[in-house]
Amino acid sequence: MMLPKRTVFAAAAVAAVGIFISLPVTGNDPNALASGNEYLAFRLPLWKTSHFDDAAQAEKQIARLAKFGCETKQDQNNVSYRCTNWCSIQGESPRQSQRWGQWLTTLGFEISHVEIDEAFTRGNEVIEFRMPDWKSIQSDRSRQQQQFVDYLRRLGVEVEVQKHQHHSEIRYRAPTWRNLRFGNQDSADQTRAWLKQQGFEARYRY
């Protein structure tokens, strides 16, 4: 099969489940249109309440939470809040995103903070993908497994690897839509098809 000149394939096998995975790796035009590459997603399905010393502090906290799209309610100096669906924000810098992530964590939110490889932030062909819930697969501890994990992380997927005696469990998710950019449609098509094979929703963004 003829492959696009600007696409290189690296093979990765997940032997424990008998899956052969082909990883599309793109080389995009460094002068093409660029987009952001950092995603901070968060949610808090159940109401949580914080107490403040005075009403002014409580109102200030409500204003902060509202900027993040959270539901809030106030009972004197008590502030209750929740965010039932996954939401995402993009900071002006990695340091700012990290601060926001730490703040949300202290408030009890579940967060997912990832960074997309810069190679997938340039180009005019754009696909978006997501997988709100964790997907788990088992794998042997091989070089191919590490290639698979590294590639998911390059795409902005949150990945956890738990090592057991004779195998590893790989868990991955992308709670909110993430955008990938490509220099040509063939590269975008191949990556979109690969993402679908791994269980993601993936589509073109027009």
Side-chain angles (χ1 to χ4, degrees), residues 6-8 25-30 119-120 122 154 182-184 187:
R6 302 187 64 179
T7 302
V8 178
V25 181
T26 63
N28 290 321
D29 183 355
F120 298 101
R122 296 182 180 275
R154 288 185 63 204
F182 301 86
N184 58 74
S187 297

Side-chain angles (χ1 to χ4, degrees), residues 35-42 86-90 111-116 120 126-132 152-159 172-182 195 200-205:
S35 66
N37 64 338
E38 195 161 348
Y39 288 81
L40 176 62
F42 57 93
W86 281 104
C87 295
S88 64
I89 54 175
Q90 191 164 3
I111 67 166
S112 174
H113 185 198
V114 297
E115 186 175 354
I116 295 178
F120 298 101
V126 184
I127 64 172
E128 55 185 11
F129 71 96
R130 71 175 178 180
M131 182 192 291
L152 285 174
R153 287 174 174 158
R154 288 185 63 204
L155 296 179
V157 178
E158 185 181 3
V159 184
Y172 56 94
R173 69 177 179 180
T176 55
W177 290 105
R178 283 93 199 269
N179 297 331
L180 303 175
R181 290 179 173 268
F182 301 86
L195 285 165
F200 293 91
E201 298 175 71
R203 66 193 185 190
Y204 270 98
R205 195 189 73 182

